[in-house]
Amino acid sequence: MKSLMQSSTFLRTITVALLMLIGLTEAYAMSASTLDKRQIAIIPIAAQTASGDIEGLKVSLNKGLDAGLTVNEIKEILVQMYAYTGFPRSLNGLGAFMGVMQERQEKGIQDNVGKEASSLPADYNSLKDGAANQTTLIGVEVKGPLFDFAPAIDEYLKAHLFGDIFARDVLSWQDRELATIAALANLKGAGSQLGSHYAISMHNGLTEPQIRAFIEVLREAIGEETANHATEVFNQVIAARR
């Protein structure tokens, strides 16, 4: 009888362990194939900033705050946009966000401000550390004829974009890449850069199903033309990887 009870307890323990493992596996598979509310909210904010759709952006900014993005995270997305879409788009986006925040405060809505960027080490070197960040982010050292032709742009990319902006820890690199591909997808003539950043996004943890989900968010929030172009570029990236 004691032996039977021990066997029954052992079987129950194994069963519970297997069910937990199955649950964890299913949860991982779900997280690897979908985007969460925060990630979904990032996409139209970046895309509409890139195109200058201020009225649409105001709606997306409200939705982003309601979805759990902090005030500082949204500021960070809008600031980063200047590196990809120019100061005018970034400044217009920030101006729109100021207006949205004022309207929400007047309605008594208290939004989560969120954390500030951590201080960088005293010996931080934007060019040197930015080059290291770039290599880690992309997976290889970046060089080529274009950067030999115009060394200044190589220095600006390393020192400012990857040294100053990507070093700020308000957003993860995955979040930053999601914002980048959203902006590039809605920026005419940036297909080559979009393809490169799809690859960088996947190197930093975004899965193929998640990028397919990203494209569907673009389809709903931005439109068929943008989504179809984003799909075409992504299919080319996937074909090249295979």
Side-chain angles (χ1 to χ4, degrees):
M1 177 65 79
K2 183 177 179 181
S3 176
L4 285 171
M5 290 177 65
Q6 288 175 336
S7 296
S8 178
T9 300
F10 174 74
L11 286 171
R12 282 199 301 273
T13 302
I14 291 296
T15 300
V16 170
L18 285 171
L19 288 171
M20 289 177 65
L21 181 60
I22 291 169
L24 288 170
T25 302
E26 288 178 345
Y28 175 78
M30 181 68 73
S31 67
S33 63
T34 60
L35 299 169
D36 62 33
K37 288 194 301 182
R38 275 186 70 266
Q39 291 172 313
I40 290 170
I42 288 171
I43 297 165
I45 290 174
Q48 288 163 334
T49 301
S51 65
D53 177 9
I54 296 301
E55 292 309 309
L57 176 60
K58 289 177 182 177
V59 174
S60 297
L61 290 167
N62 276 291
K63 288 182 178 179
L65 290 166
D66 293 339
L69 286 172
T70 70
V71 173
N72 283 338
E73 285 174 335
I74 292 178
K75 285 181 186 176
E76 202 73 20
I77 294 165
L78 297 173
V79 168
Q80 179 183 319
M81 287 299 96
Y82 98 79
Y84 294 99
T85 67
F87 272 114
R89 297 299 196 205
S90 177
L91 292 170
N92 289 346
L94 287 164
F97 191 35
M98 285 177 64
V100 166
M101 289 301 303
Q102 183 175 346
E103 289 173 2
R104 290 172 72 91
Q105 288 163 7
E106 288 171 355
K107 293 175 183 177
I109 301 172
Q110 298 295 317
D111 292 302
N112 181 9
V113 175
K115 71 174 186 177
E116 301 281 349
S118 301
S119 298
L120 295 172
D123 62 348
Y124 186 81
N125 182 295
S126 292
L127 181 56
K128 185 180 95 174
D129 292 298
N133 286 345
Q134 183 190 50
T135 299
T136 302
L137 182 77
I138 295 173
V140 294
E141 183 182 357
V142 177
K143 53 187 176 180
L146 177 65
F147 301 120
D148 295 334
F149 178 69
I153 199 68
D154 185 38
E155 182 176 334
Y156 295 157
L157 280 168
K158 287 180 167 64
H160 189 45
L161 177 58
F162 298 109
D164 294 331
I165 296 177
F166 271 73
R168 292 170 60 83
D169 58 0
V170 178
L171 294 171
S172 69
W173 283 1
Q174 191 176 105
D175 286 343
R176 290 190 182 280
E177 280 305 309
L178 190 59
T180 300
I181 59 175
L184 293 173
N186 206 27
L187 196 64
K188 291 191 181 301
S192 175
Q193 289 78 15
L194 175 60
S196 296
H197 279 278
Y198 274 145
I200 297 169
S201 296
M202 296 180 78
H203 180 69
N204 285 274
L206 286 176
T207 65
E208 180 177 345
Q210 283 177 320
I211 295 180
R212 299 286 182 195
F214 152 81
I215 292 170
E216 291 313 304
V217 175
L218 282 179
R219 192 179 309 281
E220 181 178 346
I222 308 301
E224 288 289 329
E225 183 179 353
T226 297
N228 290 341
H229 172 65
T231 300
E232 180 183 350
V233 175
F234 187 54
N235 286 343
Q236 291 170 359
V237 171
I238 292 301
R241 288 169 68 94
R242 288 173 179 165

